[in-house]
Every structure is written in structure tokens, then in C-alpha cells.
Amino acid sequence: MSEFSAQRRSHPPNPALRKALATVAELTGSWNLGRVADIGCGKLRHYKVLAKRAKALFLVDTEKQIAALHKDGKAQYTIPKIAEQARRRGRQVFAVTVQEFSVLPTTIDLVCCVAVFDVVTRQSRQAITVLAAKKLDANGHLVIIIPRNDSTITRRCGATNQYKDGHVFSHHGLQTFFCNFERYGSVIKDCANAGFALVRDLSSYRQVCLIFCK
Ligand SMILES: C[S@@+](CC[C@H](N)C(=O)[O-])C[C@H]1O[C@@H](n2cnc3c(N)ncnc32)[C@H](O)[C@@H]1O
């Protein structure tokens, strides 16, 4: 149930994202990021950062997350409603499920996937990587950011809750998965298999931050 692990819309953006976007701008020679997809957009923590620099923005997540009513303080919203309000202001913003995105007759210049790979199994990571490769234009970029080494989480990872390459946690009857990417060779390998070349590695102790080009 990775949907529940998404942070609030008002939560600060992942600290690696601005640096990654600045690097993409440097690589493409354009501040405007073009047609952008935020795969695993969650509760829209990165909406503002991406929307102001995108020609079109696709907010992509699971059917459950796209349909959910989110709460942030006193505000209540759904992702399709936010997209609709933006379109009324003349912005190209669309809320789509992973399945809808997969068959959308449009190509993308930049796919961002932030704080998703740590909460899904490798099979899902590979599916997201293949989807990004399918939707990206030739020379399009893929940004993968994965938080890691959060001791409040890693201290709860032990032999008893180990599952595949991560650990599972139960909370109020729901199970969540977490993989701490101390090493991230598997991500680079899966991206290479999907046709991506790694062009920048901006990773730090607390964040894996990889930029690939198709
Ligand atoms: C921890 S949240 C991160 C949300 C957001 N990117 C952020 O940084 O705040 C992980 C998100 O990935 C989504 N997710 C899980 N599996 C997915 C998949 N196969 N494809 C796309 N999104 C997925 C979840 O629904 C959830 O919204």
C-alpha cells in the first residue's frame, strides 16, 4: 500500500529535485522542461515545482491514488480536480492513472519519479522504467530520486521483516514495503535494459539522484 506513504502537498519538495531539474535544463539548454510526467505523483508534493516549468504536466499514479480524496490541513482535494482547475487557468495539466498514461497518444520530454522506487518492489520499478522508456521522446530524460538512509526507517529493518530486496512494515493492518538503496546498481541495470544511458549521478548520502537519457 505505497499510496499511504505519500507526503502531504504542503510538505517541502524532495531536496534533490531542484538540483536535478537544474541539471536537466543545463543538458537540454532550456529552462522550460517541455512535456513532463510525474510518475508516482502522490499527493502532489512536487506539483508547483514542476507545473511552473512544464509546457504540459501529466500527474500519474495508481488508480487508487488518482481517485482518492486527499487532505492537507483544512484543504481537501483530488488530483483530477487540481488538474481541472489548472486547465481552467489555461495550463496543460492532466491527472491520469498509470494505465491511462501508458496508452496516451503523446510523448514526453521528462519523466520524474521521486520517492517511489524505495516503496515498491523491483518488479514495479522495472515496469515504471519500461513505461518511462515507452513514453519518452528520443533524447528525453528520466529523473529517478530515491530517499535513503533514514535511520527512523532503517532501524526498523531486520531479519524478521525482510522481503525480497527490502522490508515490509505493518501499520493499522496495512502493509508497506521499503527498500534502502545503499547501492543502486540494480536501478542503473534495469534502466540500461530499458534503453537508458546514465548521464548524471547526483546521489548523496540521503538521496539517490540519477538522470538518464533515452
Ligand atoms: C512515497 S509516495 C511518493 C509520492 C511523491 N512522488 C512524493 O515524493 O511526495 C509513492 C507514490 O508512488 C505511487 N505508486 C506506487 N506504485 C506505483 C506504480 N506502479 N506506478 C506509479 N505510481 C506508483 C504511490 O501510489 C504513491 O503515490
Side-chain angles (χ1 to χ4, degrees):
M1 298 304 294
S2 53
E3 286 89 356
F4 292 107
S5 55
Q7 282 165 316
R8 295 185 317 273
R9 184 170 53 158
S10 59
H11 199 91
N14 179 288
L17 184 62
R18 281 178 200 277
K19 201 169 167 190
L21 297 181
T23 304
V24 171
E26 183 191 303
L27 290 166
T28 59
S30 171
W31 183 85
N32 191 295
L33 300 166
R35 289 154 298 170
V36 179
D38 183 8
I39 298 188
C41 63
K43 297 176 182 170
L44 303 187
R45 180 162 65 121
H46 301 118
Y47 172 68
K48 278 191 187 153
V49 175
L50 295 174
K52 69 176 175 198
R53 295 181 56 177
K55 189 171 114 192
L57 177 60
F58 296 87
L59 303 165
V60 187
D61 211 297
T62 60
E63 212 172 310
K64 195 177 176 114
Q65 194 76 298
I66 294 293
L69 177 66
H70 300 295
K71 294 191 181 106
D72 188 10
K74 285 182 182 155
Q76 288 199 350
Y77 63 98
T78 65
I79 300 170
K81 196 79 193 159
I82 296 288
E84 189 194 315
Q85 286 167 354
R87 287 200 301 278
R88 269 198 249 121
R89 294 193 305 271
R91 309 297 304 267
Q92 296 292 298
V93 179
F94 306 93
V96 284
T97 65
V98 176
Q99 291 75 13
E100 287 165 346
F101 181 62
S102 170
V103 296
L104 216 62
T106 182
T107 53
I108 299 293
D109 301 300
L110 172 67
V111 168
C112 294
C113 192
V114 186
V116 177
F117 277 29
D118 52 326
V119 295
V120 299
T121 61
R122 187 167 183 184
Q123 198 182 2
S124 293
R125 286 172 228 146
Q126 287 169 333
I128 291 170
T129 306
V130 168
L131 176 64
K134 176 182 170 188
K135 301 306 293 179
L136 277 169
D137 244 335
N139 300 317
H141 290 92
L142 166 64
V143 169
I144 298 178
I145 295 175
I146 317 171
R148 61 175 174 173
N149 298 326
D150 178 345
S151 60
T152 64
I153 301 176
T154 54
R155 69 170 170 242
R156 292 188 286 137
C157 299
T160 52
N161 63 341
Q162 203 160 6
Y163 178 71
K164 298 195 173 177
D165 61 358
H167 292 81
V168 283
F169 301 92
S170 294
H171 190 64
H172 295 305
L174 296 171
Q175 288 209 314
T176 53
F177 173 83
F178 172 74
C179 174
N180 194 45
F181 281 87
E182 274 172 75
R183 286 179 294 277
Y184 45 92
S186 64
V187 177
I188 297 175
K189 187 175 169 196
D190 290 342
C191 287
N193 287 341
F196 287 107
L198 179 66
V199 289
R200 290 285 190 284
D201 183 347
L202 307 176
S203 303
S204 62
Y205 178 71
R206 284 301 304 274
Q207 313 285 337
V208 175
C209 178
L210 303 169
I211 303 178
F212 296 90
C213 187
K214 187 171 149 186

